[in-house]
Amino acid sequence: MLLTEMAPPPGAQELAGLRAQARSARRGALVALTASIALLTTAQLLADRAATREQTLPLAVLSLAVFTAALPAMAITQYVWGARARRVRDRERELYATAFSGRARALARLAVAGCWAVTLLLGWTVPRLFDQAAQYGVAGTLSAVIEATAPVAVAAGALFLLWWGRDVALTVARALRSGGGAPGDPWDPGRGMRRREGTLLWTGAAVAIAALLGARAHLWEPATGIVYGLLTAALVCGVVTDE
C-alpha cells in the first residue's frame, strides 16, 4: 500500500487544521501591522505638506485616530497569532517529540518588535501635528501623555530584548539536543510549503511601507500622487495576500 493511501496517524489531521489556523492568524496580524504603519505614515506625510492650519487639523486628527486604533489592533491580532502558533508547536512535540514549525520565529519576533518601535515613534510625533494646526492645548495634553508613557515603552523594549535573547538561546540549545528536525508529515501537504505569490505580495507591501517611511524621514521627497500610490500598493498587497 502506498504511503499516501494509508490512514493518517492520530493527530495528523488535527495538526493540519491547527497549522491552517496559525497561518490565518499570522496573516491577520501582518495585515493589521502593515495597514497601521502605512495609514499612519501617509496621514503624517500629508499633514506635513498641508499649506494651512485648517488643512493640517483633520490630518492630525486622522493620525491620532489611526494611532489609537492601531495599538489594540496590533496587540490583539499578534496575541492570537502567538497563541495559535504555540498550540501548533505543542501538538508537534506531542506527536514527534520535536517541533519544526517556527524555525524563523526569533527573526519574526524581532521584526515585529521593530514594527512596534516604528509605530510608537510615529505616534509620538502626533502632538507636533496639532501644534502646527494651532491646537496648542491638545498638543500639550498629548505631549504630557507621551512623556508619561515613554518610559514604560522603553522599559518594555528592554525587557523584550532580554526575553528574546533568552528564547533564542533556549531554541539553539533545544535544536542542538534534538540533533535534527521532525520526521516529517506526509499526510499534511501544506507543511513547509509557501505560495510564491504570497511571498511576492508581502515583499511588495514591505517595500511600499519602507518607501513611505523614507519619505516621512525626509530621505526623499515623492510627489503626493506617489504617496497615494505607495499607500494603495501597501494596502492592496497586504489585503489580497492569501497564504
Side-chain angles (χ1 to χ4, degrees), residues 40 47 55 65 74 114 119 163 179 199:
L40 184 57
Q55 294 175 346
M74 291 169 57
T119 304
W163 170 80
T199 302

Side-chain angles (χ1 to χ4, degrees), residues 172-199:
V172 172
R174 191 181 299 115
L176 292 176
R177 286 197 305 268
S178 65
D185 185 359
W187 293 272
D188 181 13
R191 183 186 68 80
M193 297 178 61
R194 296 188 63 180
R195 295 183 180 179
R196 182 176 179 85
E197 296 81 359
T199 302

Side-chain angles (χ1 to χ4, degrees), residues 90-177:
D90 292 342
R91 192 60 177 140
E92 286 174 348
R93 291 193 179 98
E94 291 176 1
L95 292 176
Y96 306 120
T98 187
F100 53 76
S101 65
R103 292 175 179 174
R105 184 177 58 194
L107 292 177
R109 285 176 172 174
L110 190 61
V112 170
C115 291
W116 270 93
V118 169
T119 304
L120 289 176
L121 290 174
L122 290 171
W124 289 346
T125 63
V126 171
R128 183 171 60 83
L129 300 180
F130 281 94
D131 188 70
Q132 292 175 354
Q135 299 296 318
Y136 304 114
V138 177
T141 301
L142 293 177
S143 297
V145 172
I146 290 173
E147 290 177 0
T149 56
V152 178
V154 173
L159 291 176
F160 166 80
L161 290 176
L162 293 174
W163 170 80
W164 180 80
R166 173 182 173 275
D167 186 65
V168 170
L170 292 176
T171 301
V172 172
R174 191 181 299 115
L176 292 176
R177 286 197 305 268

